[in-house]
Amino acid sequence: MRILLSTIGSRGDVQPMVALASRLKALGQEVHLCVPPDFRDWIEGLGMPVTPIGPELRPTGKANPAASLPTPEQRRRMMEGTVAAQFETIGAAARGCDVIVGATALQLAAPSVAEHLGIPYVFAAYCPAVLPSPHHAPPVLAMLGDTPASAPGDYREHWARDAQRWNDHWSSLINPFRASLGLAPVGDVRGHILTGRPWLAADPVLAPWPEPADPAVFQTGAWLLPDERPLSEELEAFLAAGEPPVYFGFGSIRAPQGLGEVMVRAARALARRAIISRGWADLSPVDDAPDCLAIHEVNQQALFKRVAAVVHHGGAGTTTAAARAGAPQVIIPQSYDQLYWAQRVRQLGIGAAHAPGAPTSESLTSALGEALHGDVAARARSIAPTVRDDGAQTAARDVMATAQRKSG
C-alpha cells in the first residue's frame, strides 16, 4: 500500500505527519511525504521519501520591519501560484498512491487530486477550532475578536460567513484546475477541503471535540513523534547548575520584536533562570550572564520534564508536549488556533493565557508568576498521565483500513 501525506506549514504542521508516516512505515506501508523544502533533509534522514512543495518557509520566521504588505494584486498572484503549485506537485506525487492524507486547511489541491485518481482522501486537523461547530468561532474570526454579541455560544452564523470567505478567496482559482481534470466545480470550498468526516488529531483531554457523540468527526488523539535524542552536554550542565529553569520558545513562527529580552527580564523578575530556544525567529538572551542559555532545536519531550515552566506561542505540538511532561505553561498566542490552546490551558488550570500579541516584561512576569503557582504546577502534573500517546498508531490503522475498503 502506498500512502501520500501532504501538509504545508511550519514544523508544527509537519511533525505530526512525520509521526503518522513513521507508524505507517513500521506497519509495513510505503509512505511518501509532500512538505515544504525546509524539512526534506530531516525526513529523508528518517528513511522516508519527500517531494518538496512551495518555497522555503524558514526566512518568514524573522520579522522584517522594512517589508511592506503585499498589494491586493500581489496577494492574488501569490494565491494563484499556490494553487497551481499544489495541483502540479501533489498531482505528480500522488500517482500510484492508494490514499492521500492532508493536514492543515490549505490543502487546496489534494482532495481534487484524490477525486481525479479515484482514491480516498482524509483530512486531519490538529485543533478542534479548525473544524466547524456551533460551540466555537472560526479561528480567523476569533483571532480578530469578531464574535457574535447576540447569541453567545452559538457560532453558526460566523461559520456560514467563514464558508463564504473561503468561496470568495479560492473557488475561482480551484475550479479551473478541476475542470482541466474533468471534475465538476465545487460550490463549498471549505467543505470540499475538510470533507464530510474530518479527523481530529488532538488529545481528547487537552482538546476534546465539543460534541463527543458526533459521528462526523473522528478524534484519533494527537500524532506524536517519539524522540530519543539526548540533551547536549552544555544543556545538561546548565540544568544541573541550579533550580529548574523556565523554557522560552516560539518554534518556527515569527516572534514580536525584542521578545528575547522581554523573556529574560520576566524570568529574572521572578528569580528564575532561563533557557531561550532560538527557533526560526533567532531569539537570544540580552547578555552572556550565566543564568541564561540559548539553544537550538531540542528534544522537548526530555527537556520539558526538567523545567519549571514552558512559555511558548501555543502551537498544538508544544502545548501537548508540555502537558505530557507535566510542566505548567504560559501561552502567548499570535494567530489562528493558538488562541484556542491558550484558552484550554487556562480552563484546565495547567497554565496561564497571556493576551494575544507582543508581551511586555511586566505582562509576561505576571503570567509566568501565575503559571509557577504551586496549585497550577500540581494540576499540570496531575493532567500529564492522562495525555495519550497512541494517536498516530490509531490513525495509521484507520488510514490502512480506509484504503483497503476502497480497494475492496
Side-chain angles (χ1 to χ4, degrees), residues 66-80:
S68 58
L69 294 174
T71 65
E73 179 59 30
Q74 289 172 328
R75 189 179 301 112
R76 179 71 177 183
R77 287 199 299 269
M78 291 167 60
M79 293 166 64
E80 290 172 349

Side-chain angles (χ1 to χ4, degrees), residues 159-256:
W159 281 106
R161 289 164 50 192
D162 181 71
Q164 186 59 52
R165 180 179 60 84
W166 275 92
N167 287 341
D168 292 345
H169 286 175
W170 299 109
S171 62
S172 64
L173 301 180
I174 292 173
N175 282 328
F177 283 94
R178 287 181 56 83
S180 71
L181 297 175
L183 302 174
V186 294
D188 175 11
V189 173
R190 188 190 68 198
H192 169 67
I193 292 172
L194 302 186
T195 76
R197 189 175 185 262
W199 291 11
L200 177 55
D203 184 78
V205 171
L206 295 180
W209 182 242
E211 302 169 77
D214 181 4
V217 174
F218 171 46
Q219 186 157 15
T220 64
W223 300 349
L224 306 176
L225 183 66
D227 196 340
E228 304 297 332
R229 293 173 299 163
L231 302 180
S232 69
E233 291 183 4
E234 180 185 34
L235 181 51
E236 286 284 6
F238 183 80
L239 290 168
E243 293 296 316
V246 176
Y247 170 94
F248 297 89
F250 254 45
S252 52
I253 73 162
R254 181 176 297 180

Side-chain angles (χ1 to χ4, degrees), residues 5 14-33 42-43 45-48 223-227 392-393 396 400:
L5 308 181
V14 174
Q15 185 157 317
M17 293 294 263
V18 177
L20 175 59
S22 297
R23 292 309 311 160
L24 287 164
K25 183 181 177 185
L27 292 169
Q29 308 308 309
E30 181 184 354
V31 292
H32 192 102
L33 290 101
W42 167 47
I43 297 172
L46 298 174
M48 295 178 286
W223 300 349
L224 306 176
L225 183 66
D227 196 340
Q393 178 77 6
M400 294 164 56

Side-chain angles (χ1 to χ4, degrees), residues 58-144:
R58 189 180 185 95
T60 64
K62 288 190 177 182
N64 181 3
S68 58
L69 294 174
T71 65
E73 179 59 30
Q74 289 172 328
R75 189 179 301 112
R76 179 71 177 183
R77 287 199 299 269
M78 291 167 60
M79 293 166 64
E80 290 172 349
T82 294
V83 173
Q86 287 193 35
F87 270 91
E88 178 181 359
T89 306
I90 297 174
R95 292 181 190 133
C97 288
D98 298 290
V99 61
I100 299 176
V101 180
T104 72
L106 283 180
Q107 289 299 311
L108 303 167
S112 296
V113 170
E115 183 181 347
H116 173 65
L117 295 175
I119 62 176
Y121 164 71
V122 173
F123 173 82
Y126 302 146
C127 174
V130 174
L131 303 176
S133 168
H135 300 287
H136 55 243
V140 171
L141 299 180
M143 182 175 65
L144 299 174

Side-chain angles (χ1 to χ4, degrees), residues 119-380:
I119 62 176
Y121 164 71
V122 173
F123 173 82
Y126 302 146
C127 174
V130 174
L131 303 176
S133 168
H135 300 287
H136 55 243
V140 171
L141 299 180
M143 182 175 65
L144 299 174
D146 186 7
T147 54
S150 57
D154 189 338
Y155 297 93
R156 290 179 177 86
E157 178 184 345
H158 274 54
W159 281 106
R161 289 164 50 192
D162 181 71
Q164 186 59 52
R165 180 179 60 84
W166 275 92
N167 287 341
D168 292 345
H169 286 175
W170 299 109
S171 62
S172 64
L173 301 180
I174 292 173
N175 282 328
F177 283 94
R178 287 181 56 83
S180 71
L181 297 175
L183 302 174
V186 294
D188 175 11
V189 173
R190 188 190 68 198
H192 169 67
I193 292 172
L194 302 186
T195 76
R197 189 175 185 262
W199 291 11
L200 177 55
D203 184 78
V205 171
L206 295 180
W209 182 242
E211 302 169 77
D214 181 4
V217 174
F218 171 46
Q219 186 157 15
T220 64
W223 300 349
L224 306 176
L225 183 66
D227 196 340
E228 304 297 332
R229 293 173 299 163
L231 302 180
S232 69
E233 291 183 4
E234 180 185 34
L235 181 51
E236 286 284 6
F238 183 80
L239 290 168
E243 293 296 316
V246 176
Y247 170 94
F248 297 89
F250 254 45
S252 52
I253 73 162
R254 181 176 297 180
Q257 287 285 96
L259 181 60
E261 180 178 355
V262 168
M263 288 173 164
V264 172
R265 287 183 175 176
R268 287 175 175 167
L270 296 169
R272 296 281 179 166
R273 300 186 303 149
I275 295 173
I276 306 292
S277 176
R278 292 190 179 278
W280 283 10
D282 198 23
L283 299 176
S284 62
V286 292
D287 51 43
D288 296 324
D291 64 342
C292 297
L293 177 68
I295 63 172
H296 292 284
E297 206 271 323
V298 71
N299 180 346
Q300 292 183 341
Q301 295 169 20
L303 177 58
F304 286 1
K305 294 177 181 179
R306 301 173 63 182
V307 299
V310 175
V311 180
H312 62 105
H313 59 295
T318 308
T319 304
T320 304
R324 287 190 71 226
Q329 309 181 45
V330 176
I331 293 183
I332 313 170
Q334 301 300 299
S335 63
Y336 206 56
D337 63 338
Q338 296 163 15
L339 285 85
Y340 170 88
W341 293 109
Q343 292 169 359
R344 283 300 296 161
V345 161
R346 177 181 54 78
Q347 291 167 353
L348 288 168
I350 60 174
H354 190 283
T360 64
S361 299
E362 293 76 17
S363 66
L364 186 52
T365 299
S366 175
L368 181 55
E370 180 183 340
L372 290 169
H373 191 276
D375 290 346
V376 176
R379 177 65 176 164

